Amino acid sequence: MDKILEAVVMSSYPNNVKQGLVRRVIEAAKQPMDSEQCWSMLELSTKLYLIGDTKYKREIGKEVLEVYGHYHPEEFEEFFNVRFLLSLLQEGYGPLGKRSHYVLDYIQLGLQFVLESPSANSIFSLLRIEVLRKVCERPSPKQCAKISRLLVQHPQCIPTGKHQLLFCQQLIRCIGHFQCVSEGEEEIMEFLEQVNKVSGLLQRIWRTQTSAILPSLKELFAIISSTEEQEVPSNALASVVQFVPLELMDGVIRNLTNDDSITDVQMMMAIGRMIDWVSWPLGKNIDKWIIALLKGLAAVKKFSILIEVTLSKIEKVFSKMLYPIVREGALSVLQYMLLSFQHSHEAFHLLLPHIPRLVASLKKEDSNSATSSLEQLAELIHCMFFRFSGFPDLYEPVLEAIKALPVPNEDRIKHLLGQNAWTSQKNELACFYPRLASKSETGKIGLINLGNTCYMNSIIQSLFMASDFRHSVLNLTEGNSQPLMTKLQWLFAFLEHSQRPAISPESFLSASWPPWFTPGAQQDCSEYLKYLLDRLHEEEKTGKRIYQKLKESSLMSQAVEHHYLNKTLIEKMFGGKMMTKIRCLKCLNVSSREEAFTDLSLAFPPSDRNVHESTSVLPVQEIGPQFIEPPENAGQLTGSPWVRRKAPMASDQAAPSVSVETLGFQEPEAAANLTRGSDVGVDAAKDPLSTFGERARAPKDSRSVPDLINYFLSPERLTAENKYHCEKCASLQDAEKVAELTEGPHYLILTLLRFSFDPRTMKRKKILDNVSIPVVLKLPILVAPGETEKVCRRGKDGAVPGSGFMTVVYDLCSVVVHSGISSESGHYYCYSRECTDAVPQGQPRDGVPKPASDKQLDFEIQWYLFNDTRVSFSSFESVSNVTSFFPKDTAYVLFYRQRPGGQSCLLHEALAEAGRLHGEPSLHKDLMEAISKDNILFLQEQEKEARNRAAYISALPKSPLWWRDLDRDKDDDSSSGGCSPAAGGGGSGSFHGLVF
């Protein structure tokens, strides 16, 4: 019968004819048959099943085997013996080089017919040994899946005792070698199915033998933490973790993170490879294990490992959000990585270039998964904006991309940040500030934040960029008996000459710390600035004079020396004077008092006050007697700022008022008729700033710096509880008080009083109104009669004849921005540029500095953005628009520098003369040596860090192609089907990239 069957199978008859003949042979096989005939049929069917060259032949072989196993069990048991099976498993079946791949399938098929036979136990014992041996030989995923199917169907064949533990460990090592060599979608799906079958076997063993779980996980960790593996362990290992019971997680992580035998390099290797598992599809709980290990490392303060791994892997995790099949797990890991990485902006900033593209892709996908992920991503980004404010130029494209998505409230943001921080002790991360390999491309140096000291850093950088002040400080002589000024000199010198990308201001902080400030808490930068300038001023009054060297070298004339010798450096640079006058409204007696100031604190006008009626916010009305007779030309400035605070009457005649001017930021109608409330008009057609002013000016309902100054200079009515005690009347009387500037400082500091006390909440609240900032500002300065002609005759902006006032022009130098809604929280950063009297590009041949024009001052001088350690190029456009993009980022302290031609021209001349003779300030020997030594030390630190970092980086798993996911999504918008980005892939190639 076997000959007949073989002849039929090998014949050239059509398959339907063969099938009929085979059916007759099979039917005949169900009848009683002698042992020899059964053996011959079993040998033929075995041959057909194992080495049949077509699927049809293998199916016939299978069918015949099943018939003989069912109808001739004794003969089948005799044939299917231990010796035969051992030969199959160890030697294979078929000719050399063409051994059958179906041995395991054959054994699984035959086992069902010998389960009750006396030889069953012998067969099971054989298979328990042989499957262990097979696994140790690292079979292919397909063969390993066949072993798993065999053992799942016949658990009696699973190794027992110590062999079972070894089997689990070797099976995990086997999975670690799995690789899918094909990029076809069908082949990949088949590979995933094979992996799941193998990991499913582990799950079955662990359910019945829980004691095997921990040793198995130990083997898994040994694989992924190994630094000696020639091949990277397969991401298929992720399929193993999903079956580990979550209740074991805490104990497993605790044991790992507290095991002293595990080196940092091994731990970093392990967590790096686990993070790569995010790309494994269909895995469950993988993100939970990754996050648990990250938290475990934070608990034992392994911050260096967390930093290195986060920075090297976060972009790859982010890229996996393109794929719905792994998006949920990738987003969970991304959220923890970002929310826990709070000591530095580095991790978040790595993602900034990719966020707009991902947001666009998710919007295009338009699925529930994409919508949910977009909202969570937007919440995450706003948390990062809150934590790392001060980067408006970098954040604008991201903010534009997510502007339509919900914005979380501040309580929610603080909750998320507080819940995920690595540690509540900020000083534990003090040594892990952003690594900056070299100076900023700007050439400027940053300042390290020592724990909420951004308020000081912003002020120091603003003072440093005030070039006249900086040069004066650097020119200090040694032994000047001014300890705080000396520390400032050292700080400025390091900011000027250090090779470090950022330096620590710790020494200066401790010396300039206001005693009532709370260590580690956010402070008011304006309050710190006032305290610092006052300390420096008082210190110099009792010490040597800063201009002693200029006096000895006779660089200053006797007149200039006499004028300035009695002033401290702070007075010369920041000191101005203001006359406060109070007029009794009964007897019209006027009392006046002149006061010095180093800054003007500008309050916001009431919300119902119209600030756009003219260039001045003062109501243009006539009241009572004038202190200074108005000129015949009402377009000129007058000396009377006295006005009534009441609604104007139709019969009232308009009286000119004092106002502050700004260049380039007038409304069109105001630019055409500036003489309505101002002494010096700006021709919009001719002014070089007017075109930029049109583009950058604020909305009509916003306020401007001139509005606030005019409000500051406008009269205040003293009535009711605020009545004035008139000495002439000898009683309390209604009065009016007005302030007039009598001496403009060289550097004008303006503080916008944004913080006010709210009695309802018992907290200081912040006024978030946008205030437009003019790049050029004109101030009216009251001068004594006869003085106007004596002050800088060659200045183009001089006194208005007969008015008693002169115009002083100021250029914007620095803007300190506060980001946040409270003075006790938030962040400070600053925009600065270096204003000088000379043209920036080159000098005339005669060596005499040429005054810079408006255009050169406003557009050719580079703006910089100082944000603690980071310094970047910026622009005035960014300064003007920052609050429009980021409503909580508002200008707080402004620095303006007076142009030559005003009251301080004597100082300008002295500084210019000193600059011509001395050039750049020369530092004294000790200071130069200290800088040189520190630069050498920095180079040595760089070399050491480079070696250490190379050791860390070389240990990290390589994943060089992570960016292809994002690039592919950008370039290939036509992909479709089940593996498109919207459906979980991006074409067959990208699906392969997803898994591996």
Side-chain angles (χ1 to χ4, degrees):
M1 190 177 291
D2 59 302
K3 299 297 182 182
I4 297 173
L5 178 62
E6 185 174 14
V8 170
V9 171
M10 299 300 179
S11 70
S12 59
Y13 293 129
N15 282 347
N16 58 340
V17 175
K18 289 183 182 181
Q19 190 65 35
L21 296 172
V22 169
R23 183 60 49 198
R24 292 182 182 181
V25 173
I26 291 176
E27 288 298 323
K30 295 179 180 179
Q31 304 302 318
M33 192 178 298
D34 63 53
S35 177
E36 184 178 350
Q37 184 62 46
C38 285
W39 196 276
S40 297
M41 286 296 291
L42 286 170
E43 283 184 335
L44 175 60
S45 58
T46 298
K47 177 182 177 182
L48 290 173
Y49 186 88
L50 289 175
I51 59 174
D53 55 1
T54 64
K55 185 178 180 181
Y56 175 70
K57 291 177 181 178
R58 292 195 296 274
E59 287 178 350
I60 291 175
K62 178 183 177 183
E63 195 169 354
V64 173
L65 282 170
E66 289 175 337
V67 168
Y68 277 85
H70 184 74
Y71 290 97
H72 308 282
E74 292 180 2
E75 288 78 3
F76 188 90
E77 180 182 350
E78 183 182 355
F79 178 81
F80 200 77
N81 58 65
V82 171
R83 181 176 298 176
F84 174 58
L85 295 182
L86 182 62
S87 173
L88 284 178
L89 290 167
Q90 292 189 353
E91 299 174 13
Y93 188 94
L96 289 175
K98 292 185 179 180
R99 296 298 192 189
S100 174
H101 299 294
Y102 300 99
V103 169
L104 291 170
D105 305 89
Y106 177 82
I107 294 175
Q108 183 178 348
L109 175 65
L111 274 178
Q112 60 184 310
F113 302 111
V114 298
L115 293 177
E116 304 299 329
S117 69
S119 62
N121 288 333
S122 299
I123 293 175
F124 294 154
S125 297
L126 169 68
L127 290 176
R128 282 194 286 267
I129 298 298
E130 285 302 306
V131 294
L132 176 59
R133 183 185 62 80
K134 280 282 186 184
V135 168
C136 291
E137 292 176 352
R138 307 287 180 262
S140 66
K142 188 173 184 179
Q143 291 299 310
C144 210
K146 290 181 178 181
I147 293 174
S148 299
R149 277 197 297 268
L150 170 64
L151 298 184
V152 168
Q153 184 174 347
H154 303 290
Q156 306 94 321
C157 301
I158 296 175
T160 57
K162 293 181 179 181
H163 286 170
Q164 185 180 80
L165 178 57
L166 181 60
F167 177 77
C168 290
Q169 292 173 329
Q170 291 302 315
L171 195 60
I172 289 172
R173 287 208 168 266
C174 200
I175 296 173
H177 284 80
F178 285 177
Q179 298 296 336
C180 184
V181 295
S182 173
E183 293 191 2
E185 184 176 334
E186 290 184 5
E187 289 83 357
I188 290 175
M189 295 305 296
E190 182 182 3
F191 173 77
L192 292 175
E193 184 180 355
Q194 291 164 357
V195 173
N196 284 338
K197 286 189 181 301
V198 178
S199 58
L201 172 61
L202 278 171
Q203 180 190 25
R204 184 184 182 95
I205 295 173
W206 288 347
R207 281 178 178 171
T208 58
Q209 197 69 34
T210 55
S211 60
I213 297 177
L214 292 180
S216 299
L217 290 181
K218 187 174 182 180
E219 189 70 19
L220 173 64
F221 186 82
I223 296 170
I224 62 175
S225 65
S226 173
T227 59
E228 300 174 357
E229 295 282 345
Q230 294 182 351
E231 292 184 4
V232 177
S234 171
N235 282 347
L237 289 169
S239 64
V240 175
V241 175
Q242 64 181 328
F243 296 122
V244 180
L246 292 180
E247 55 266 25
L248 297 178
M249 181 184 290
D250 290 343
V252 170
I253 298 299
R254 190 164 49 250
N255 289 337
L256 283 177
T257 54
N258 288 282
D259 190 340
D260 294 334
S261 67
I262 300 173
T263 66
D264 285 358
V265 173
Q266 289 175 320
M267 183 62 76
M268 186 157 50
M269 182 70 76
I271 186 62
R273 286 170 172 165
M274 283 183 67
I275 290 173
D276 287 344
W277 294 350
V278 167
S279 61
W280 183 258
L282 308 177
K284 299 177 181 178
N285 301 326
I286 295 173
D287 56 322
K288 293 182 175 64
W289 280 95
I290 295 172
I291 293 170
L293 184 52
L294 291 172
K295 288 182 175 181
L297 291 172
V300 295
K301 307 189 189 316
K302 297 284 188 178
F303 301 129
S304 59
I305 297 176
L306 290 167
I307 290 170
E308 291 292 345
V309 168
T310 301
L311 294 179
S312 64
K313 294 295 182 181
I314 195 165
E315 289 172 285
K316 185 173 183 180
V317 173
F318 182 82
S319 72
K320 298 310 171 187
M321 287 186 61
L322 286 168
Y323 307 98
I325 198 169
V326 296
R327 182 177 295 151
E328 183 179 355
L331 181 57
S332 295
V333 175
L334 179 71
Q335 284 176 321
Y336 179 78
M337 292 175 86
L338 278 181
L339 291 172
S340 62
F341 203 93
Q342 294 186 27
H343 71 287
S344 162
H345 55 259
E346 287 176 285
F348 178 50
H349 285 192
L350 286 174
L351 305 181
L352 293 180
H354 313 303
I355 291 175
R357 201 184 309 169
L358 176 64
V359 170
S361 176
L362 292 177
K363 287 180 178 178
K364 183 179 177 182
E365 181 181 317
D366 192 27
S367 66
N368 291 336
S369 167
T371 301
S372 174
S373 297
L374 270 175
E375 292 179 356
Q376 293 180 69
L377 181 62
E379 181 178 70
L380 185 59
I381 291 171
H382 281 292
C383 287
M384 295 297 99
F385 284 168
F386 181 87
R387 180 64 187 87
F388 304 116
S389 56
F391 301 93
D393 296 347
L394 291 177
Y395 292 169
E396 281 181 18
V398 176
L399 190 66
E400 182 68 21
I402 64 169
K403 64 182 180 181
L405 298 170
V407 179
N409 60 44
E410 188 169 338
D411 289 339
R412 170 67 175 166
I413 290 174
K414 289 181 177 178
H415 170 73
L416 290 172
L417 291 172
Q419 190 178 36
N420 293 281
W422 284 338
T423 173
S424 59
Q425 304 299 318
K426 294 180 181 179
N427 59 335
E428 291 181 340
L429 289 165
C431 59
F432 297 107
Y433 287 103
R435 291 181 307 276
L436 302 169
S438 60
K439 267 189 182 181
S440 159
E441 61 180 353
T442 64
K444 304 295 182 183
I445 297 175
L447 290 169
I448 294 174
N449 191 316
L450 302 174
N452 281 329
T453 58
C454 53
Y455 66 92
M456 180 191 71
N457 291 349
S458 299
I459 293 300
I460 293 300
Q461 295 286 19
S462 298
L463 293 174
F464 178 80
M465 293 297 286
S467 55
D468 298 332
F469 177 65
R470 179 179 75 246
H471 289 157
S472 298
V473 171
L474 292 176
N475 273 320
L476 272 173
T477 56
E478 200 172 359
N480 52 65
S481 302
Q482 299 176 62
L484 184 57
M485 187 69 83
T486 300
K487 286 186 178 294
L488 183 62
Q489 181 191 41
W490 278 63
L491 183 56
F492 278 4
F494 272 82
L495 285 173
E496 185 95 15
H497 299 288
S498 177
Q499 293 300 314
R500 295 181 183 273
I503 60 175
S504 171
E506 186 174 5
S507 177
F508 187 77
L509 174 65
S510 60
S512 63
W513 184 279
W516 60 89
F517 276 16
T518 303
Q522 186 60 277
Q523 306 294 342
D524 189 326
C525 76
S526 173
E527 187 178 3
Y528 174 76
L529 175 61
K530 289 183 175 69
Y531 176 79
L532 175 61
L533 296 182
D534 186 61
R535 279 276 310 275
L536 293 171
H537 168 69
E538 293 298 328
E539 186 179 81
E540 187 178 350
K541 283 173 63 176
T542 60
K544 294 182 177 181
R545 293 291 181 261
I546 191 67
Y547 275 59
Q548 189 65 34
K549 186 174 182 179
L550 292 177
K551 176 186 174 183
E552 292 173 356
S553 58
S554 300
L555 292 179
M556 303 181 80
S557 66
Q558 293 298 318
V560 174
E561 178 186 335
H562 176 74
H563 184 78
Y564 282 101
L565 192 57
N566 293 326
K567 286 190 172 185
T568 66
L569 177 60
I570 300 303
E571 289 176 310
K572 294 170 192 173
M573 294 295 168
F574 306 103
K577 291 184 179 178
M578 179 170 50
M579 182 75 73
T580 303
K581 299 178 180 179
I582 301 179
R583 181 179 63 171
C584 175
L585 294 183
K586 180 178 181 182
C587 68
L588 302 183
N589 180 57
V590 176
S591 63
S592 60
R593 183 178 75 255
E594 191 174 51
E595 298 175 303
F597 68 87
T598 53
D599 80 311
L600 296 180
S601 298
L602 307 179
F604 282 70
S607 56
D608 59 349
R609 190 181 180 99
N610 190 347
V611 298
H612 290 286
E613 290 180 354
S614 69
T615 56
S616 170
V617 297
L618 297 178
V620 184
Q621 302 176 45
E622 178 182 349
I623 60 123
Q626 301 291 317
F627 286 145
I628 299 176
E629 291 296 322
E632 294 180 1
N633 181 0
Q636 295 178 347
L637 277 179
T638 72
S640 175
W642 302 102
V643 293
R644 294 193 190 98
R645 293 200 173 183
K646 65 180 183 66
M649 298 295 183
S651 60
D652 290 344
Q653 294 181 350
S657 60
V658 180
S659 69
V660 179
E661 289 187 54
T662 171
L663 289 183
F665 290 87
Q666 288 78 18
E667 300 294 335
E669 61 270 23
N673 187 23
L674 283 173
T675 57
R676 184 166 62 170
S678 166
D679 67 324
V680 180
V682 178
D683 187 340
K686 297 179 181 178
D687 186 78
L689 296 173
S690 60
T691 55
F692 182 75
E694 288 297 315
R695 178 165 58 90
R697 67 171 181 265
K700 287 191 175 184
D701 58 349
S702 70
R703 303 194 183 277
S704 67
V705 170
D707 294 336
L708 302 189
I709 298 178
N710 281 324
Y711 181 65
F712 175 82
L713 296 175
S714 65
E716 177 185 357
R717 181 67 66 92
L718 304 177
T719 60
E721 296 179 355
N722 293 324
K723 282 189 176 183
Y724 165 69
H725 185 274
C726 177
E727 294 182 358
K728 190 172 181 179
C729 298
S731 60
L732 293 174
Q733 298 293 338
D734 289 348
E736 281 189 329
K737 180 172 75 170
V738 69
E740 296 170 337
L741 301 178
T742 57
E743 183 178 322
H746 185 63
Y747 284 101
L748 173 66
I749 301 175
L750 303 176
T751 301
L752 312 187
L753 297 178
R754 291 189 174 275
F755 302 110
S756 60
F757 184 76
D758 187 347
R760 291 176 301 173
T761 61
M762 301 300 290
K763 292 181 179 180
R764 294 178 74 191
K765 66 178 183 178
K766 181 178 177 181
I767 300 171
L768 295 173
D769 294 5
N770 193 3
V771 176
S772 61
I773 305 169
V775 70
V776 180
L777 187 67
K778 289 186 177 182
L779 282 183
I781 304 295
L782 181 66
V783 293
E787 289 293 320
T788 56
E789 300 300 327
K790 297 180 183 179
V791 183
C792 290
R793 296 176 183 274
R794 63 179 181 272
K796 69 174 182 178
D797 292 310
V800 178
S803 70
F805 283 88
M806 68 174 297
T807 300
V808 178
V809 181
Y810 283 90
D811 296 299
L812 183 65
C813 293
S814 294
V815 179
V816 178
V817 176
H818 177 264
S819 176
I821 60 172
S822 167
S823 62
E824 290 82 20
S825 63
H827 179 64
Y828 289 100
Y829 57 95
C830 75
Y831 294 93
S832 288
R833 64 174 181 165
E834 197 163 342
C835 294
T836 58
D837 295 338
V839 178
Q841 277 89 17
Q843 293 290 347
R845 292 182 180 179
D846 57 8
V848 178
K850 180 182 177 183
S853 68
D854 290 350
K855 186 172 182 179
Q856 287 161 339
L857 278 170
D858 300 329
F859 295 101
E860 293 184 9
I861 300 178
Q862 178 66 56
W863 281 92
Y864 302 94
L865 175 57
F866 294 89
N867 185 8
D868 290 334
T869 56
R870 183 179 182 271
V871 187
S872 57
F873 290 115
S874 191
S875 65
F876 182 67
E877 187 175 9
S878 178
V879 179
S880 303
N881 296 334
V882 62
T883 307
S884 301
F885 282 97
F886 303 93
K888 295 178 183 178
D889 290 28
T890 53
Y892 185 39
V893 178
L894 314 177
F895 287 73
Y896 281 88
R897 181 182 184 271
Q898 186 180 145
R899 281 192 191 174
Q903 288 180 315
S904 67
C905 61
L906 295 175
L907 179 58
H908 278 285
E909 291 174 354
L911 292 169
E913 177 121 4
R916 280 199 302 273
L917 293 179
H918 284 276
E920 286 299 312
S922 59
L923 307 179
H924 57 77
K925 182 180 178 182
D926 288 349
L927 185 47
M928 286 302 299
E929 286 181 355
I931 294 173
S932 297
K933 288 181 180 178
D934 186 69
N935 285 340
I936 293 173
L937 177 62
F938 172 65
L939 292 176
Q940 294 171 345
E941 291 172 356
Q942 288 290 94
E943 292 174 0
K944 182 179 179 181
E945 182 179 347
R947 289 194 298 270
N948 294 340
R949 186 167 172 77
Y952 268 131
I953 295 302
S954 64
L956 284 171
K958 303 298 187 295
S959 52
L961 304 180
W962 63 263
W963 61 82
R964 286 190 178 176
D965 296 321
L966 290 166
D967 290 343
R968 183 180 299 111
D969 181 69
K970 178 182 179 182
D971 300 332
D972 183 14
D973 293 331
S974 60
S975 59
S976 60
C979 286
S980 68
S988 61
S990 69
F991 191 84
H992 183 270
L994 166 69
V995 181
F996 312 107

